Amino acid sequence: DKGNHRHFMMKEIHEQPAVVGQTLGTMIDPIQGHVTLPDMPFDLAKVDRVTIIACGTSYYAGQVAKYWLEQMARINVEVDVASEFRYREAVMPEGGLAVFISQSGETADTLAALRYAKSQGQHILSILNVPQSSMERESDVVLHTHAGPEVGVASTKAFTCQLSVLACLSIAIAKARGKIDDKEEARLCIALTEAPARMADVLNHEEAIKTLADDVAKARDVIYLARGLEYPIAMEGALKLKEISYIHAEGYAAGEMKHGPIALIDEDVPIIVIAPSGRLYEKTVSNMQEVIARKGQVIFITDEKGAASDGQDAVATIALPMLDEFVTPILYSIPVQLLAYYVAVAKGTDVDQPRNLAKSVTVE
Ligand code: F6R
């Protein structure tokens, strides 16, 4: 049932404040300000290496987690797509933690990668949405996303719930390794629990994004640029646009622009720059200026502080509410989902059932 929405994708985008809240509620005690995960059959404090494997959108959630875990927990993290990982004979010293992320729990390549990691003596932790899947049966521990059934082929609410679980897992690993204290844990938990309300704020202002869709729908190519925690969101935004609007799009690390892709830029290429204020803000804005100087048509997605200081030469600026830097990937997922949705609607594609795609990829 789509409720009063035209497509399941839109309904699922709008469910995000609620399902992210529910997912966080299973792990965060907001009064005590700490994260509690289910009992693990291994000691998180003894893990000194994390390998994260997934496909598609779930893989981008893993990319965000790499930044969180390295920064907060000071642990080695490797992330790969399952189709490459399963055949590349990765070296995995025993006792490492292997994390598998899957909405369906049935993706053939991710399941094969899980079996490989198991054969290499890794602890298997899976982050899954659909209950009682094949991956669930073969994992040592499962953290569930509480997104509910996701019908739209393009993943939206499962993704932000995956990020929510990964944020909690990162806090728990950081804590177990003694890299953050109780006070910092409480601060991070409070920041996370603010996410649902901020997501709802963004959804209440979706007109701002809708008005950009007609122009973006005319483009042949679209480039998303970001740094740090938002870099995977740039790639996710590009994937969403590709799969439902059939426009070629690429997510690029903003600093890589000058190593090639800047040659693509002219007045016909929309460039979506994602830059919340924070540690990498100035760097990303300077890449944005380079693009504008080459007549790139920039849509600047930032926060209230960023919008007040930069973006005068952008075609449009979307100002999101302020939120702790740590939580920004969860919030900034929403405008890229909405943009892809409205562009697809403008193009008249089949939003919920895009051509050539299946919801669950059970063949390799
Ligand atoms: C994109 C999308 C796919 C899936 C990928 C993995 O919107 O839905 O890229 O994310 O096929 O699927 P799961 O998470 O079920 O393993």
Side-chain angles (χ1 to χ4, degrees), residues 4 7 11 23 26 88 102 118-119 132 154 171 174 195 220 226 238-240 256 290 307 311 320-321 343 364:
N4 49 10
H7 298 100
K11 172 176 176 254
T23 301
T26 62
R88 75 180 160 84
S102 178
K118 210 173 201 179
S119 76
Q132 294 171 335
I171 294 172
R220 198 189 60 177
L239 178 63
K240 287 284 93 87
E256 270 289 297
E290 290 159 7
L320 270 46
V343 171
E364 71 170 295

Side-chain angles (χ1 to χ4, degrees), residues 54-59 101-107 110 135 150 152-156 162 236 239-240 243 358-361:
C55 300
T57 289
S58 300
Y59 165 68
I101 310 168
S102 178
Q103 189 285 128
S104 62
E106 301 295 345
T107 303
T110 311
M135 277 182 228
E150 191 178 62
V153 163
S155 184
T156 52
Q162 288 165 347
E236 167 61 3
L239 178 63
K240 287 284 93 87
E243 63 181 335
K359 183 67 188 159
S360 180
V361 183

Side-chain angles (χ1 to χ4, degrees), residues 244-267:
I244 63 169
S245 77
Y246 315 147
I247 293 175
H248 168 243
E250 278 192 74
Y252 243 95
E256 270 289 297
M257 272 306 281
K258 53 169 73 73
H259 300 286
I262 200 158
L264 292 171
I265 292 178
D266 63 23
E267 58 280 359

